[in-house]
Amino acid sequence: MILNSSPFLLAARGQNMQHENFKTFIPVWFMRQAGRSLPEYRMARQDNDILEAILEPELAAELTLQPVRRYKVDAAILFSDIMVPLKIAGIGLHILPGTGPVMDRQFSADEDLQLIKPLEPERLAFMQDTIEILIRQLSVPLIGLAGGPFTMASYLIEGKPSQLHTGVKTLMREQPALWEKIMHALVQLSSSYIRFQVNAGVSAVQVFDSWIGVLSPEDYFRFAFPFAKELFATLSDLDLPLIYFGVGTSELLGLMSKTGASVLSVDWRISLRDVPSHIDSTVFSAMGVRDKPGAVCNVVQSVQGNLDPSVCLASWEVVEKAVLKTLEDAKAIHPRGYIFNLGHGVLPGTDPGILGAIVELVHGYDPQ
Amino acid sequence: MILNSSPFLLAARGQNMQHENFKTFIPVWFMRQAGRSLPEYRMARQDNDILEAILEPELAAELTLQPVRRYKVDAAILFSDIMVPLKIAGIGLHILPGTGPVMDRQFSADEDLQLIKPLEPERLAFMQDTIEILIRQLSVPLIGLAGGPFTMASYLIEGKPSQLHTGVKTLMREQPALWEKIMHALVQLSSSYIRFQVNAGVSAVQVFDSWIGVLSPEDYFRFAFPFAKELFATLSDLDLPLIYFGVGTSELLGLMSKTGASVLSVDWRISLRDVPSHIDSTVFSAMGVRDKPGAVCNVVQSVQGNLDPSVCLASWEVVEKAVLKTLEDAKAIHPRGYIFNLGHGVLPGTDPGILGAIVELVHGYDPQ
């Protein structure tokens, strides 16, 4: 397929900065590129509930396409939400505008696990339709998505978005057996949800484990790492980029790079110049262990991120300087690939003109 | 003064883990040890506004003493708030329970600077009285406090506690001249506020620059580091420990250690085993610069932290294991000193019995 030579997929496979003979080309897309910052998005969404919009193939496809048309980004991301498979699997939840996912009940015991039913493919027909519409219309790769198990568990246990995550942290520490069951169930759910998207035609997948950065390195190692690794292992037969995203993960990158993910998405709390040493670290001091060679495998081929989304709220002069600094720092990622993106989602107040100008700047960047 | 041989001051000066001949003794105190988790605190505070309680010497002293009595911690911290000097200096603000500081108006222009009046010593008489009461009654050192300039600027500009800090970030990037004036004014304010406390008798000072971790390393270097350095420089003639606190600072520790602070307080997002290499780093990749020898001085003598406060919500079995792991990891801090503390403040739901048991466990710890 022609898409295999697309800048996004080349970079995700580590091939954009590797070939000295070719001009470096850095692909760019934005997390939440489809969203409230676009007037055409607000027009199309109207007052529809976001989950209803996702279930409507024509509308979901249109919302996916809007930012590709406007910004000329190098990848589309399926208009969806990490809570969709939970909803489909039968969990009562709503996504409230300005708040986020709110659950009908908080998970706290073994019997709650029965609420997570296996995904029935027929209930995902809407997504098959959306992806088919998109594949016909897109000339750039389509990224599928799923929630990371820790982040989904946090929503299930806290019942709503949390700043301190004390509920999920207390459950994982106090009830490790229940924690393991919840995480296994979520791994299964995300895994089959991803496989469905891949069968339908997406070219890459991003796992949004947004909140792992609230964990200490040791807690990440004990309570999140094994399940991220399990998730990526179930997908290892798929020959496509697996992007692993979280915020505040600076001290977790060494472990994250040993999960089987092939692309790590980093936020702005670490310089891109310091990312390689963190990724290639094989000593996990927090755990007091040193990797045995071959015991875990670092298959990270590419890095994505890391502009602070709040930079895009400033004037072009400020934005341009920050983007050029990011691109300059990204040279340190070589010989891995690099995908330009923000460190987290586009903020609602962002001027679409700024995002379009960023795409142009990144595409025209000459590292010589 | 006998306090100079107190475990807290010895550790803050790097002398608790240095002398192989002596048994290691690790001092412990808790950020927000005086607070809602204590029944005697809720009893004494009643429905008083927190700022009123701070202005009342007998009450403020009582609230400062309560955790020392109950927990046998090795240091008291003045019952106060980082917003107090702003209030005293004439800024309209309230501290709302469960929310935090809320300003009557948001800073956005040069004329707002006139709102910050120099601190008149007579308006700090209440604090002199509080500290005098405490010095008479305490047998452990008293820690004074002030806000870090970035964190105070964030409250002034955002007008209230912020998750994304987009207002303060946009102002610093868009209006660097105004930013510099605001930060200078706040440095002056914190500096004179700290000097007043030291003259009144505190034995150490903690600068709460809680929110610096929302900055990228480069933004920290440009917009916060110079002012933290300026603040500590104005205090360099004072012969007492200067503790510098923030959360999410893993990738900032190298720079923070070059501000002139003598103790760094770290949160749980980094293992104590990895702290020394971060503190002693002289290459700041984000800035693309390498320190010239002597150009900046690392005077860090001690490290404080880093237990995740949410651990204290779990059962003793879980807490004990986590505390022992922290103490084990703290050996890596040698030959610097180590002060046991949480990585952030005590959470309101914490059982005081757990905190008391932690103090006992730390005091009885034998590293052999």
Side-chain angles (χ1 to χ4, degrees):
Chain A
M1 192 159 59
I2 193 156
L3 285 182
N4 272 328
S5 62
S6 78
F8 170 79
L9 289 175
L10 283 175
R13 296 203 149 96
Q15 290 162 7
N16 67 330
M17 314 232 279
Q18 236 165 13
H19 300 294
E20 301 293 354
N21 295 342
F22 298 108
K23 183 177 172 307
T24 297
F25 186 89
I26 298 178
V28 48
W29 70 282
F30 303 108
M31 286 180 261
R32 275 192 207 282
Q33 59 190 12
R36 280 172 291 169
S37 66
L38 282 178
E40 59 267 36
Y41 172 90
R42 295 193 299 268
M43 186 87 84
R45 266 282 308 277
Q46 306 277 357
D47 294 328
N48 281 333
D49 182 86
I50 188 167
L51 288 172
E52 282 170 28
I54 290 167
L55 296 177
E56 195 58 65
E58 290 292 341
L59 180 55
E62 167 61 17
L63 296 173
T64 304
L65 290 164
Q66 285 175 349
V68 182
R69 276 188 219 121
R70 184 189 268 258
Y71 300 133
K72 320 277 180 245
V73 282
D74 298 289
I77 181 156
L78 185 64
F79 184 77
S80 190
D81 189 279
I82 66 165
M83 303 308 279
V84 167
L86 286 167
K87 181 85 177 176
I88 300 288
I91 307 279
L93 67 93
H94 298 271
I95 300 182
L96 303 184
T99 300
V102 176
M103 321 300 299
D104 289 352
R105 58 182 282 181
Q106 292 172 254
F107 268 46
S108 63
D110 265 79
E111 58 264 32
D112 295 323
L113 278 165
Q114 299 160 9
L115 295 174
I116 310 181
K117 308 261 186 298
L119 277 181
E120 295 160 18
E122 57 270 32
R123 300 209 55 200
L124 291 169
F126 74 94
M127 199 164 68
Q128 173 97 33
D129 294 346
T130 309
I131 294 174
E132 277 172 10
I133 297 170
L134 284 167
I135 301 287
R136 279 198 302 274
Q137 298 196 32
L138 278 169
S139 55
V140 295
L142 177 63
I143 305 171
L145 72 152
F150 176 79
T151 299
M152 287 202 288
S154 174
Y155 287 121
L156 285 177
I157 293 161
E158 303 283 349
K160 57 179 194 288
S162 165
Q163 264 192 281
L164 297 170
H165 300 264
T166 49
V168 59
K169 286 181 176 180
T170 300
L171 188 144
M172 73 189 191
R173 292 172 184 138
E174 289 281 297
Q175 299 175 264
L178 174 59
W179 175 252
E180 203 169 306
K181 284 184 218 163
I182 293 175
M183 292 294 270
H184 276 310
L186 293 173
V187 164
Q188 285 313 312
L189 191 70
S190 279
S191 176
S192 53
Y193 187 58
I194 288 172
R195 196 167 283 276
F196 188 91
Q197 293 173 59
V198 173
N199 289 338
V202 303
S203 299
V205 169
Q206 179 153 323
V207 173
F208 288 85
D209 217 352
S210 316
W211 309 139
I212 46 175
V214 303
L215 296 173
S216 70
E218 190 179 359
D219 279 342
Y220 174 78
F221 182 65
R222 289 179 59 197
F223 299 114
F225 173 77
F227 307 100
K229 210 171 149 184
E230 185 185 328
L231 173 60
F232 290 118
T234 67
L235 304 170
S236 62
D237 61 308
L238 303 172
D239 180 29
L240 88 186
L242 302 169
I243 312 171
Y244 188 19
F245 164 79
V247 292
T249 57
S250 306
E251 296 297 309
L252 307 180
L253 292 174
L255 284 164
M256 289 169 72
S257 71
K258 316 299 184 292
T259 54
S262 61
V263 183
L264 293 190
S265 194
V266 299
D267 80 351
W268 59 93
R269 289 180 180 84
I270 184 168
S271 165
L272 286 179
R273 292 180 191 237
D274 293 321
V275 167
S277 65
H278 281 67
I279 287 184
D280 291 323
S281 161
T282 54
V283 184
F284 303 113
S285 299
M287 281 56 70
V289 293
R290 186 179 283 267
D291 274 359
K292 285 171 198 70
V296 282
C297 181
N298 182 334
V299 294
V300 175
Q301 296 178 301
S302 191
V303 171
Q304 173 179 281
N306 76 337
L307 189 70
D308 184 342
S310 71
V311 166
C312 303
L313 302 174
S315 60
W316 176 244
E317 197 191 343
V318 169
V319 177
E320 184 180 32
K321 224 172 137 183
V323 172
L324 289 174
K325 180 69 170 68
T326 305
L327 294 170
E328 183 67 27
D329 289 347
K331 289 178 188 170
I333 303 298
H334 177 86
R336 291 193 170 95
Y338 174 65
I339 299 161
F340 186 92
N341 205 322
L342 308 180
H344 204 169
V346 172
L347 295 167
T350 307
D351 172 1
I354 291 278
L355 296 183
I358 290 176
V359 174
E360 229 173 284
L361 181 62
V362 176
H363 284 168
Y365 179 68
D366 181 358
Q368 310 308 321
Chain B
M1 192 159 59
I2 194 157
L3 285 182
N4 273 327
S5 62
S6 77
F8 169 79
L9 290 175
L10 283 176
R13 298 202 149 97
Q15 291 162 7
N16 67 330
M17 311 232 280
Q18 236 163 15
H19 301 293
E20 302 292 357
N21 294 341
F22 298 107
K23 182 178 173 306
T24 298
F25 186 88
I26 298 177
V28 48
W29 70 282
F30 303 108
M31 287 182 261
R32 276 193 206 279
Q33 60 191 13
R36 281 172 290 170
S37 66
L38 282 178
E40 59 267 37
Y41 172 91
R42 296 194 297 269
M43 184 86 84
R45 265 283 306 279
Q46 306 276 357
D47 293 330
N48 281 332
D49 182 85
I50 188 168
L51 288 171
E52 281 169 29
I54 290 167
L55 296 176
E56 194 60 64
E58 291 291 343
L59 180 55
E62 167 61 18
L63 296 173
T64 304
L65 289 164
Q66 283 175 350
V68 182
R69 273 188 221 122
R70 185 191 269 259
Y71 300 133
K72 319 279 180 244
V73 282
D74 298 289
I77 181 157
L78 185 64
F79 184 77
S80 190
D81 189 280
I82 67 164
M83 303 308 278
V84 166
L86 286 167
K87 181 83 175 178
I88 300 288
I91 306 280
L93 68 92
H94 299 271
I95 299 179
L96 304 185
T99 300
V102 177
M103 321 300 299
D104 289 353
R105 57 181 285 180
Q106 292 172 254
F107 269 47
S108 63
D110 264 79
E111 58 263 31
D112 295 324
L113 279 166
Q114 298 161 10
L115 295 174
I116 311 181
K117 307 261 187 297
L119 276 181
E120 294 161 18
E122 57 269 32
R123 299 208 55 200
L124 291 169
F126 74 94
M127 199 164 68
Q128 173 97 34
D129 293 347
T130 309
I131 294 174
E132 278 172 10
I133 297 169
L134 285 167
I135 300 288
R136 278 199 302 272
Q137 299 197 30
L138 279 169
S139 56
V140 294
L142 177 63
I143 304 171
L145 71 151
F150 177 79
T151 299
M152 287 203 288
S154 173
Y155 287 121
L156 285 177
I157 294 162
E158 303 283 349
K160 57 180 195 286
S162 166
Q163 264 192 282
L164 297 170
H165 300 263
T166 50
V168 59
K169 286 181 176 180
T170 300
L171 188 144
M172 73 188 191
R173 292 173 184 138
E174 289 282 295
Q175 301 176 263
L178 173 59
W179 175 252
E180 203 169 305
K181 283 184 218 165
I182 293 174
M183 293 294 270
H184 277 309
L186 293 172
V187 164
Q188 285 314 311
L189 191 72
S190 279
S191 176
S192 53
Y193 187 59
I194 288 172
R195 196 166 284 272
F196 187 92
Q197 293 174 58
V198 173
N199 289 338
V202 303
S203 300
V205 169
Q206 178 152 325
V207 172
F208 288 85
D209 217 352
S210 317
W211 309 138
I212 47 176
V214 301
L215 296 173
S216 70
E218 190 180 1
D219 280 342
Y220 174 77
F221 182 64
R222 288 179 61 198
F223 299 114
F225 173 75
F227 307 100
K229 210 171 151 185
E230 187 186 325
L231 173 61
F232 290 118
T234 67
L235 305 170
S236 61
D237 61 307
L238 302 172
D239 179 30
L240 87 188
L242 301 169
I243 312 171
Y244 188 19
F245 164 78
V247 292
T249 57
S250 306
E251 296 298 308
L252 306 180
L253 292 174
L255 284 163
M256 289 170 72
S257 71
K258 315 300 185 291
T259 54
S262 61
V263 183
L264 294 190
S265 194
V266 299
D267 81 351
W268 58 93
R269 289 180 181 85
I270 184 167
S271 164
L272 286 178
R273 292 181 191 236
D274 293 320
V275 167
S277 65
H278 282 68
I279 287 184
D280 292 323
S281 161
T282 53
V283 183
F284 303 114
S285 300
M287 281 56 71
V289 294
R290 186 179 282 268
D291 274 359
K292 284 170 200 69
V296 281
C297 181
N298 183 333
V299 294
V300 175
Q301 297 178 300
S302 191
V303 171
Q304 174 179 280
N306 73 339
L307 188 71
D308 184 343
S310 70
V311 167
C312 303
L313 302 175
S315 60
W316 176 245
E317 196 190 343
V318 169
V319 177
E320 184 181 33
K321 221 171 142 185
V323 171
L324 289 174
K325 179 71 168 68
T326 305
L327 294 170
E328 184 67 27
D329 289 348
K331 289 179 187 168
I333 303 297
H334 177 87
R336 290 192 171 97
Y338 173 66
I339 299 161
F340 186 93
N341 204 323
L342 308 180
H344 204 170
V346 172
L347 295 168
T350 306
D351 172 1
I354 292 278
L355 296 184
I358 290 176
V359 174
E360 230 173 282
L361 181 62
V362 176
H363 284 169
Y365 179 67
D366 180 357
Q368 310 309 321

